[in-house]
Amino acid sequence: MTRVHTVIDSPYGPLTLVATDGVLSGVYMEGQRHRPAEETFGTPDDTPFTETVRQLEAYFAGELTEFRLPLRMAGTPFQLRVWEELRHIPYGTTVSYGELAERLGHPTASRAVGLANGKNPISIIVPCHRVVGSSGALTGYGGGLDRKRRLLDFESGAADPARLF
């Protein structure tokens, strides 16, 4: 198993992209909760990230609403199910932890969904920022509530993409 990484600039601060055997396995924000130790990211190498960077730039420019990238996510079977379901939340919309739990067939598992959501290793691309509390309130986000609000404002059209950079 070979891991490499690169760091790119974004409107939300530097993003560390990690690939495992050439496939995207992590997108981490500075100061992100549950961010793995830097030494686990492997050696610096931009090679496997050309398409990821292209799609992220298009997203930040307001030109892309759905990522189409191969992903290699490591987690428990439940976490993997939650993370896969996150990919089905449409751009510009939100769902509650309870709604996500219901979609997974576990209507009483909203806390477990929240814990799995918080450990999502591929931020932005796997849109864990689109999950909110049952009242619509912003609750927990590994990248910080300010970034979550900014991402949601951007996707809802409340923030001009040209002013992000």
Side-chain angles (χ1 to χ4, degrees), residues 115-129:
L115 291 172
N117 195 54
K119 292 187 177 181
N120 170 22
I122 304 182
S123 62
I124 300 172
I125 292 170
V126 176
C128 54
H129 60 277

Side-chain angles (χ1 to χ4, degrees), residues 2-8 16-27 41-56 68-72 122 125:
T2 303
R3 294 188 93 182
V4 297
H5 77 280
T6 193
V7 178
I8 65 168
T16 300
L17 310 179
V18 180
T20 303
D21 295 331
V23 180
L24 186 67
S25 59
V27 176
F41 294 157
T43 59
D45 182 356
D46 297 342
T47 308
F49 302 108
T50 304
E51 184 60 16
T52 301
V53 170
R54 187 192 71 72
Q55 288 191 34
L56 281 167
R68 296 189 184 279
L69 294 165
L71 304 178
R72 183 174 182 162
I122 304 182
I125 292 170

Side-chain angles (χ1 to χ4, degrees), residues 36 46-48 61-62 80 132 145 158:
D46 297 342
T47 308
L80 293 171
V132 297
L145 290 180

Side-chain angles (χ1 to χ4, degrees), residues 113-160:
V113 164
L115 291 172
N117 195 54
K119 292 187 177 181
N120 170 22
I122 304 182
S123 62
I124 300 172
I125 292 170
V126 176
C128 54
H129 60 277
R130 295 180 188 154
V131 184
V132 297
S134 60
S135 68
L138 298 190
T139 58
Y141 181 60
L145 290 180
D146 178 59
R147 282 188 185 125
K148 183 173 188 166
R149 166 55 46 213
R150 290 176 54 215
L151 281 161
L152 292 174
D153 284 349
F154 167 65
E155 289 188 2
S156 72
D160 178 4

